[in-house]
Amino acid sequence: MSASRYSALALLRHALTRHRRWQPAWREPEPKRHYDVVIVGGGGHGLATAYYLAKNHGISNVAVVEKGWLGGGNTGRNTTIVRSNYLRDEAAQLYEFALKLWPGLSAELNFNVMFSARGVLNLGHTLQDMRDIERRVNANRLGGIDGEVLATARVQEMVPILNCSPNARYPILGASWQPSGGVARHDAVAWGFARGADALGVDLLQRTEVQGIRCGDGRVQGVETDRGFIGADKVACVTAGHSGVLAAMAGLRLPIESRPLQALVSEPLKPCLDTVVMSNAVHGYVSQSDKGDLVIGAGADGYNGYGQRGSFHVLAHALEAMCELFPSFSRVRMNRHWGGIVDICPDACPIIGETPVTGLYFNCGWGTGGFKATPGSGFVFADTLAHARPHPLAAPFALERFAKGALIDEHGAAGVAH
Ligand code: FAD
Ligand code: PYC
């Protein structure tokens, strides 16, 4: 029987048996009393950390504690843009390390994460935008990261539906182009890492909320959850959107603001856009999913908040700007809209490493741009946890940088939403 006929029959059988005999992709274990490492947060970064702890370091007495469902936070809410064209060497090299892991990730996890290197354009609308673009592309090329500066005519050739008229409200003076960037299927990334971690012995504890962090004698002892206390030698908080809340449980204050960030998808269309287009100046970005929907994102709200929605005027502004840039989009209907909560640091870079409480680690503050880093973040954080010292790529992102004044200003390249 052909593979496609077999899958069609299997699908029908599962539908008729109400999926009762559908083999689950991971176990639903009861929590153990103690783990070597408890990871709080079952988003892509937490799951990738668990996977690489088990795979690369043989540490599998690990639990991922997730208050909702795996990938239900920002991982399943983002617009899936992958790129590494950051300005500063420290950030660019971390994101480039992650970018290099994307093409092999489906094979690594034996799970199709649908990475598509369709390239990323960052538009420039003013002379200052173009100077910034040239500086960033030059810095990237010096660091071995691919990138080009494109003139308007070339941008128009690549994206015929873009309004490149000099009379446009947001005239396009050129763009940066990173061919190796692209998009991936966000929830498949969470599911792939989850299945891989589970197969290596990691316990994935969904619907389990961490309500307290127990510390004594300056070191972490475990987490209080709504299913009881779970002891741990190390606790790693990977709780984008709620990192400040988790830090407060251990008596710490992080230099982080939590803000809503919104996105939406349109009705499915025939193929019309085969690359990713971002415009930092108008706070909007778009790609077309394999299903045909336009995936559009807006800027972050100007206010802190924990509501997973966001202000209407921010969304309205992004859509107005999108229709100016792509006049044909004004006839497209939007299907769904949602928000996530992003943790933003003063320098628009993440915090990765141990806190003043021994054994308590954070990996957070990825702001509006952490999806692209998922495999790299998990890789370097697992290494940091396993060896109780920062991985060289993670070292510049230690919490101490705020006390030392060693900030890594990425507001320009983090772009859109900052
Ligand atoms: P999350 O996926 O948010 O996981 C954290 C988990 O912690 C959640 O599942 C949450 O339920 C859990 N948690 C919180 N508190 C507790 C608790 N007390 N107990 C147990 N569990 C808890 N990045 C890009 O690179 N490209 C993009 O195109 C992009 N677009 C974006 C668009 C939007 C609309 C949004 C919201 C974000 C976007 N991002 C993008 C950012 C990206 O989504 C995040 O940086 C990244 O997904 C963070 O992953 P994570 O695993 O750290 O966090
Ligand atoms: O970091 O590339 C990015 C991004 C795009 C949309 C939101 N964040």
Side-chain angles (χ1 to χ4, degrees):
M1 195 183 318
S2 75
S4 62
R5 190 133 172 250
Y6 176 80
S7 343
L9 282 177
L11 214 58
L12 183 66
R13 197 176 60 246
H14 286 311
L16 294 175
T17 58
R18 300 191 180 195
H19 303 117
R20 270 194 294 265
R21 278 178 291 171
W22 192 310
Q23 190 189 350
W26 47 80
R27 299 163 297 128
E28 285 275 354
E30 283 302 308
K32 292 187 211 161
R33 291 159 68 107
H34 188 275
Y35 291 92
D36 295 341
V37 183
V38 162
I39 295 169
V40 188
H45 288 229
L47 293 164
T49 305
Y51 174 79
Y52 288 118
L53 266 177
K55 171 88 191 298
N56 292 356
H57 306 283
I59 302 174
S60 56
N61 185 25
V62 174
V64 177
V65 181
E66 165 56 51
K67 70 176 176 181
W69 65 94
L70 301 178
N74 289 338
T75 296
R77 292 165 186 268
N78 74 82
T79 47
T80 78
I81 298 173
V82 173
R83 59 188 175 90
S84 66
N85 52 1
Y86 283 69
L87 177 64
R88 313 276 169 196
D89 287 347
E90 298 89 337
Q93 290 309 325
L94 177 60
Y95 285 104
E96 177 68 3
F97 176 71
L99 182 63
K100 291 243 158 66
L101 293 175
W102 280 104
L105 198 56
S106 296
E108 166 76 28
L109 300 174
N110 188 24
F111 200 98
N112 191 357
V113 300
M114 296 169 74
F115 174 64
S116 157
R118 61 185 63 179
V120 176
L121 282 169
N122 290 86
L123 304 179
H125 302 286
T126 62
L127 283 176
Q128 188 56 48
D129 277 358
M130 290 312 297
R131 286 189 199 111
D132 292 344
I133 281 174
E134 275 165 27
R135 180 179 174 207
R136 184 164 43 77
V137 169
N138 284 337
N140 287 163
R141 290 172 73 126
L142 284 171
I145 294 169
D146 64 324
E148 272 176 65
V149 180
L150 304 185
T152 315
R154 180 72 186 116
V155 176
Q156 183 76 89
E157 226 171 77
M158 289 171 73
V159 188
I161 59 174
L162 198 52
N163 180 7
C164 290
S165 154
N167 302 321
R169 180 166 177 193
Y170 305 107
I172 294 165
L173 306 191
S176 72
W177 167 240
Q178 186 175 28
S180 63
V183 290
R185 168 89 193 267
H186 48 14
D187 36 22
V189 174
W191 299 334
F193 276 120
R195 197 179 68 155
D198 171 87
L200 293 167
V202 170
D203 283 356
L204 306 175
L205 309 174
Q206 299 187 79
R207 296 175 300 281
T208 309
E209 182 170 355
V210 170
Q211 298 173 331
I213 297 179
R214 197 186 285 179
C215 307
D217 298 329
R219 65 166 305 123
V220 78
Q221 295 172 339
V223 292
E224 313 280 358
T225 79
D226 51 3
R227 293 169 77 182
F229 176 72
I230 304 176
D233 296 340
K234 291 178 185 168
V235 172
C237 297
V238 199
T239 45
H242 289 83
S243 305
V245 177
L246 269 289
M249 292 179 190
L252 301 172
R253 194 156 173 231
L254 297 178
I256 270 189
E257 292 188 0
S258 300
R259 295 208 228 146
L261 181 69
Q262 306 174 72
L264 66 176
V265 287
S266 74
E267 59 190 334
L269 307 176
K270 288 196 173 154
C272 62
L273 182 64
D274 63 1
T275 184
V276 179
V277 179
M278 301 179 65
S279 169
N280 297 358
V282 306
H283 295 294
Y285 36 100
V286 59
S287 66
Q288 187 171 25
S289 78
D290 294 346
K291 224 163 52 173
D293 339 353
L294 298 175
V295 181
I296 298 177
D301 266 31
Y303 308 96
N304 294 350
Y306 288 106
Q308 279 180 321
R309 37 198 304 170
S311 307
F312 182 74
H313 72 274
V314 175
L315 198 63
H317 167 78
L319 287 180
E320 281 159 14
M322 276 299 145
C323 290
E324 295 273 354
L325 289 173
F326 297 90
S328 57
F329 289 179
S330 61
R331 298 198 302 277
V332 176
R333 282 167 298 193
M334 293 297 137
N335 243 354
R336 286 180 294 113
H337 151 255
W338 64 89
I341 312 160
V342 294
D343 283 349
I344 303 180
C345 285
D347 58 357
C349 275
I351 296 170
I352 310 172
E354 200 171 14
T355 66
V357 178
T358 305
L360 178 62
Y361 293 72
F362 273 81
N363 180 352
C364 63
W366 291 91
T368 61
F371 175 70
K372 64 176 78 62
T374 305
S377 160
F379 192 104
V380 302
F381 195 42
D383 183 87
T384 300
L385 285 161
H387 298 291
R389 54 100 190 93
H391 182 283
L393 287 172
F397 299 96
L399 185 55
E400 298 93 70
R401 78 176 185 276
F402 297 100
K404 290 185 182 156
L407 274 66
I408 306 161
D409 185 0
E410 279 296 355
H411 280 282
V416 280
H418 287 262

